[in-house]
Amino acid sequence: MEAKTLKATMKEIKYHTLHVAGVDEAGRGPLAGPVVAAACIIPASVMIPGVNDSKKLTEGKREELYSQIISTPGVIYAVHVIDAATIDQINILQATLQAMVGCVNKLTSKKTGESVPDYILVDGNRLPDGFSEKKAQCVVKGDAECHVIAAASILAKVTRDRMMLAYDKKWPEYGFKAHKGYGTSAHIAALLKNGPCDIHRRSFAPLKDQTLITDNDVMG
């Protein structure tokens, strides 16, 4: 993706000493699994070729870029995971915003040990309550427009996908490896046959709106 100059990134371009973080999430829509947010700081003088909105990349390309991002000198990154049980308790919007705050709070400079960033660019149209409007702003479709947000989208997506692959080994009957928890016809069919497992979001339709088989039902 070619670097695009946004109003939001003028400080990043003009003052290379500033730590500007891009923040994005993965997993708002699935019926199962966590929501994951990532924050990523890339030095303004560095451009990692191929970084783009994670949804526009193949799984293999995302994995390749994930490795490049985290191994690039000067890159600072962090991820934060909110599990399905918490999503059910506080709702997916609040869980997503909480994950964004969590990953930013984890950002620490490897050189100085100090907390960063100086400025935050958040994908979407809503800032988490924990972010100051003086030091953060939303960028609509930022994962397709801004290098650091695109990098964060890749980190979040790869982290979540790897978790869903691990869950597939524990609960192979749901096919998490194929659909990563999204509500495909195959996933719905598996839910109707097996009922939900521990990582299903019980507050999401169709789990909320339909009576599904549970472990207790099967065991009598």
Side-chain angles (χ1 to χ4, degrees), residues 12 20 40-48 69 74-76 147-148 151:
E12 178 185 11
V20 179
C40 184
I41 296 171
I42 299 176
S45 58
V46 174
M47 179 61 62
I48 302 174
I69 292 166
V75 167
I76 303 170
H147 192 235
V148 287

Side-chain angles (χ1 to χ4, degrees), residues 4 11 14 21 23 37 49 63 69 77 92 96 103-104 107 131 136 145 147 149-150 154 207 210 217:
K4 297 185 179 181
K11 289 184 178 181
K14 187 175 181 180
V23 179
E63 285 282 351
I69 292 166
Y77 70 96
I92 185 59
T96 301
C103 65
V104 170
L107 286 176
F131 292 172
E145 298 288 330
H147 192 235
I149 295 179
I154 292 169
L207 288 93
Q210 295 184 13
D217 293 331

Side-chain angles (χ1 to χ4, degrees), residues 6-7 9 20 30 42 62 67 76-77 80 93 105 114 148 150 154 171 182 186 189 191 203 213:
L6 303 176
K7 291 181 180 179
T9 60
V20 179
I42 299 176
R62 286 194 297 267
S67 297
I76 303 170
Y77 70 96
H80 194 77
L93 173 59
N105 287 344
E114 296 178 352
V148 287
I154 292 169
W171 294 288
Y182 283 88
L191 273 169
S203 59
I213 300 171

Side-chain angles (χ1 to χ4, degrees), residues 1 5 7 12 25 45 54 67 74 79 94 97 103 106 118 142 168 171 197 199 201:
M1 176 180 67
T5 303
K7 291 181 180 179
E12 178 185 11
E25 54 75 28
S45 58
S54 63
S67 297
V79 298
Q94 293 305 316
L97 297 175
C103 65
K106 291 179 179 178
D118 303 303
D168 182 76
W171 294 288
C197 68
I199 63 166
R201 303 174 183 179

